[in-house]
Amino acid sequence: EHHTLTLTHVLKCLSVLVVNAPYHNLTGQYISKILSTIQPLTIRPDIDIAVGSLTCYGAVLCLHPPLPEVEVWLRDKSDDNWPWIIQHCVSLLQTKSAAKSLQ
């Protein structure tokens, strides 16, 4: 979708869907597909689209209990081209995993 306003509203709806869907009861890689789809939108020049995609990331990262799929996806996809906030989340997840392995 190339229309900024439409894409912004789609991202807002996707964020609401992520928060309210029962991913723990579903099979499949739904979250990975969502993350793969919104990742290129974080570097779009339009600020509304970038904020919408970061909001979707926030919705995914706030799922309780956390999905192992999210941690695996972020580790596999982490690179230097991501916004600093995503890189920070990945480093927090890696620190958390390291702390668990020491226990």
Side-chain angles (χ1 to χ4, degrees):
E1 182 65 48
H2 296 288
H3 300 288
T4 303
L5 186 59
T6 304
L7 187 53
T8 302
H9 285 290
V10 167
L11 289 169
K12 288 180 183 180
C13 292
L14 183 59
S15 296
V16 172
L17 177 67
V18 165
V19 170
N20 292 303
Y23 291 104
H24 303 292
N25 299 332
L26 301 174
T27 58
Q29 299 289 318
Y30 297 108
I31 294 293
S32 294
K33 290 177 185 175
I34 290 170
L35 292 171
S36 296
T37 302
I38 63 174
Q39 195 272 331
L41 300 177
T42 60
I43 57 172
R44 292 277 297 258
D46 187 284
I47 192 70
D48 293 328
I49 294 174
V51 168
S53 64
L54 290 174
T55 302
C56 287
Y57 275 117
V60 169
L61 294 174
C62 290
L63 291 174
H64 289 287
L67 296 175
E69 177 184 353
V70 174
E71 290 184 31
V72 169
W73 193 90
L74 285 172
R75 283 192 194 116
D76 291 346
K77 301 291 184 184
S78 62
D79 62 30
D80 293 332
N81 295 327
W82 285 37
W84 68 270
I85 191 75
I86 303 300
Q87 292 176 14
H88 181 68
C89 290
V90 170
S91 68
L92 288 175
L93 288 172
Q94 291 170 342
T95 303
K96 182 179 174 183
S97 294
K100 281 185 182 179
S101 66
L102 293 175
Q103 294 177 346

